[in-house]
Amino acid sequence: MTEQTEAVEQGPERHVRVVLVDDHRMFRTGVQAEIGRTETTGVEVVGEAADVDQAVTVITATRPEVVLLDVHLPGGGGVEVLRRCAPLMAGAQSPVRFLALSVSDAAEDVIGVIRGGARGYVTKTITGTDLVDSIFRVQDGDAVFSPRLAGFVLDAFASTDAPPVDEDLDRLTQREREVLRLIARGYAYKEIAKQLFISVKTVESHVSAVLRKLQLSNRHELTRWATARRLV
């Protein structure tokens, strides 16, 4: 047997056990296909979850080294998963580490999960190769961010003053904030639906809820509201 053949049969030198947490099954399937080829990438997907309760159950049962965590989840979002898994993150011997993987690049989403204990935050535009690299870096205890997102964290933690509470914004769910931001950026309902992997009808429902909660009449007022708060 040649050295080259032996190296191929041994596979990757490193190995990491991962749980995927995302409420879109097709996205989880895509990530699994992209990074879950253990013999090539060294990543073994040991569990999946679509909401907060499932995530806590699967993570507790499997004790992975790294969790890929979506920010917006039914049942309270990624921050709630982090809160309920805090004891697992604190383990001295084999801590569970979290890497946020989200379509959102909003400062409040990034800061929220980092404050909650996540080791990094990457957006869903990341390549499979870079995602695998990020997973191993998080396993090693490094902090990993997509370009420009690290600046949000540095700014937030460099400030000695707590950010002001926006009661109007706090009325919105994480998903409603995401739809709000895309509407304010000029996206059509069909574009939002495609980007967030939801139906146009669901987008319309979220927009109606946002307008009602903020007491606004139309998307033009909504855009002005979001722009004034620098959410765009």
Side-chain angles (χ1 to χ4, degrees):
M1 180 182 294
T2 66
E3 292 183 1
Q4 183 178 3
T5 303
E6 183 177 0
V8 171
E9 291 184 353
Q10 287 177 347
E13 295 181 359
R14 301 192 60 185
H15 180 267
V16 59
R17 300 169 66 253
V18 171
V19 164
L20 304 178
V21 180
D22 193 287
D23 60 340
H24 297 106
R25 181 180 59 81
M26 289 182 64
F27 179 77
R28 297 198 309 272
T29 300
V31 173
Q32 167 79 280
E34 184 73 21
I35 71 171
R37 294 169 284 108
T38 309
E39 69 283 355
T40 302
T41 64
V43 176
E44 179 187 2
V45 177
V46 296
E48 299 182 14
D51 58 35
V52 170
D53 288 340
Q54 288 180 15
V56 174
T57 298
V58 171
I59 294 166
T60 301
T62 59
R63 295 292 185 101
E65 282 87 27
V66 177
V67 177
L68 288 180
L69 179 68
D70 193 11
V71 175
H72 302 143
L73 295 166
V79 172
E80 179 63 13
V81 175
L82 291 164
R83 185 188 69 79
R84 291 169 59 178
C85 290
L88 300 180
M89 289 188 280
Q93 297 298 322
S94 55
V96 176
R97 294 190 167 101
F98 288 78
L99 173 61
L101 175 63
S102 176
V103 69
S104 171
D105 60 358
E108 65 265 25
D109 288 338
V110 178
I111 295 167
V113 295
I114 297 303
R115 288 192 187 279
R119 296 293 305 175
Y121 194 115
V122 295
T123 60
K124 290 181 177 179
T125 57
I126 193 170
T127 67
T129 300
D130 287 343
L131 182 56
V132 170
D133 179 66
S134 297
I135 290 169
F136 279 113
R137 288 173 60 191
V138 167
Q139 181 190 27
D140 290 337
D142 293 343
V144 180
F145 296 92
S146 289
R148 96 181 181 87
L149 300 188
F152 296 152
V153 180
L154 292 174
D155 291 343
F157 286 91
S159 173
T160 56
D161 299 323
V165 175
D166 189 324
E167 294 182 359
D168 289 334
L169 189 61
D170 284 348
R171 293 191 184 101
L172 306 182
T173 66
Q174 290 288 346
R175 181 64 83 187
E176 288 168 352
R177 294 185 192 187
E178 197 167 45
V179 171
L180 161 66
R181 187 172 299 104
L182 293 174
I183 284 288
R185 290 177 178 175
Y187 284 69
Y189 286 3
K190 288 184 179 180
E191 294 173 322
I192 296 172
K194 182 177 180 180
Q195 183 157 341
L196 300 182
F197 301 97
I198 58 179
S199 69
V200 173
K201 185 176 181 180
T202 300
V203 174
E204 293 173 348
S205 297
H206 285 314
V207 172
S208 296
V210 170
L211 292 173
R212 182 180 69 254
K213 290 179 180 180
L214 300 181
Q215 298 182 349
L216 300 174
S217 301
N218 52 56
R219 64 181 297 164
H220 299 295
E221 292 183 1
L222 186 152
T223 299
R224 288 197 297 270
W225 187 93
T227 302
R229 286 160 176 77
R230 299 181 180 179
L231 299 177
V232 182

